[in-house]
Amino acid sequence: MWGFIDTTGKLVIPCQWKYACAFHEEKAAVRNEQNKFGFINKKGELVIPFQWKEINNYFSEGLVCVLDEQFKLGYIDSTGKLVIPCQWKAASPFREGRAFFINERDRYGFIDKTGKVVIAFKWKDVNLFSEGLAPVQNEYNKWGYIDTTGKMVIPCQWKYAGNFCEGIASVWKRGKCFHIDKTGKIVSM
């Protein structure tokens, strides 16, 4: 059984859960004996009832991804209210107001926090937004970057592309790793 300790090692929430995730945004996902997930606060009080088959283990930008009994994903807010209906095959946490989803044709797109599709389902693969840009893979298996509106900022030309951190991202081409800036200019090898 799982519980929680404080930084001194003292048990502060008794071991009573079949599984427990770390706290994010003041809540932790926990699984009960019936294999349903709910959320507790830092006092160990149940604040979102046990009703979800699976969760995406943490709140991000006030929302968390949940899986229903039909194996579809949606999002609840910090009160437990379903704010984006369960309808997706795969989904990510929100980052910079966007989350990616996979549709029934196995294409990736992005939604906003209201559930509206804001970037069409046309990508073979994607990653989360970071510093206003997200790596995307086209149908030719090349990676590039789009902004939060879906506009192509750095054309798809890389074997793989990582997330930006402090204005720099790692990209790979012909077996070599390069570092690029947000304009796509190579700044180091």
Side-chain angles (χ1 to χ4, degrees):
M1 299 303 261
W2 293 63
F4 292 86
I5 59 173
D6 65 16
T7 55
T8 69
K10 177 184 171 200
L11 186 66
V12 292
I13 298 176
C15 296
Q16 58 187 308
W17 312 112
K18 210 169 169 185
Y19 181 76
C21 299
F23 278 89
H24 286 273
E25 296 185 17
E26 302 298 311
K27 292 174 187 57
V30 292
R31 181 186 289 154
N32 67 9
E33 287 292 323
Q34 292 75 39
N35 285 321
K36 298 287 185 184
F37 276 92
F39 288 83
I40 60 171
N41 63 18
K42 289 190 174 182
K43 294 178 187 173
E45 301 164 332
L46 187 66
V47 293
I48 297 176
F50 294 103
Q51 62 182 354
W52 303 106
K53 187 166 188 62
E54 193 63 65
I55 49 90
N56 195 356
N57 75 13
Y58 62 91
F59 276 87
S60 175
E61 298 185 15
L63 300 174
V64 67
C65 188
V66 294
L67 182 72
D68 69 10
E69 292 298 324
Q70 287 73 45
F71 298 93
K72 297 291 184 178
L73 294 161
Y75 288 85
I76 60 172
D77 67 14
S78 60
T79 69
K81 178 183 173 193
L82 186 65
V83 294
I84 298 175
C86 295
Q87 59 184 319
W88 307 103
K89 182 175 170 179
S92 74
F94 274 89
R95 178 93 53 89
E96 298 186 16
R98 303 286 184 261
F100 66 74
F101 280 88
I102 301 174
N103 69 8
E104 63 283 345
R105 294 185 354 257
D106 291 329
R107 290 295 175 183
Y108 288 79
F110 289 85
I111 63 165
D112 66 15
K113 290 168 83 173
T114 68
K116 177 183 172 194
V117 175
V118 292
I119 299 173
F121 290 95
K122 69 179 202 173
W123 302 106
K124 191 171 179 182
D125 199 358
V126 299
N127 207 329
L128 297 173
F129 276 91
S130 175
E131 299 184 14
L133 299 175
V136 293
Q137 184 185 41
N138 68 16
E139 65 274 13
Y140 305 109
N141 297 322
K142 299 293 184 185
W143 288 81
Y145 294 86
I146 59 172
D147 67 15
T148 57
T149 69
K151 177 184 170 197
M152 182 61 66
V153 176
I154 300 172
C156 292
Q157 59 185 305
W158 308 103
K159 175 83 173 160
Y160 182 75
N163 285 96
F164 276 90
C165 180
E166 297 182 16
I168 303 294
S170 297
V171 293
W172 288 262
K173 193 175 199 175
R174 295 186 196 105
K176 293 185 180 183
C177 180
F178 303 90
H179 295 100
I180 60 170
D181 66 16
K182 288 176 149 189
T183 68
K185 179 183 171 193
I186 295 173
V187 293
S188 70
M189 298 167 96

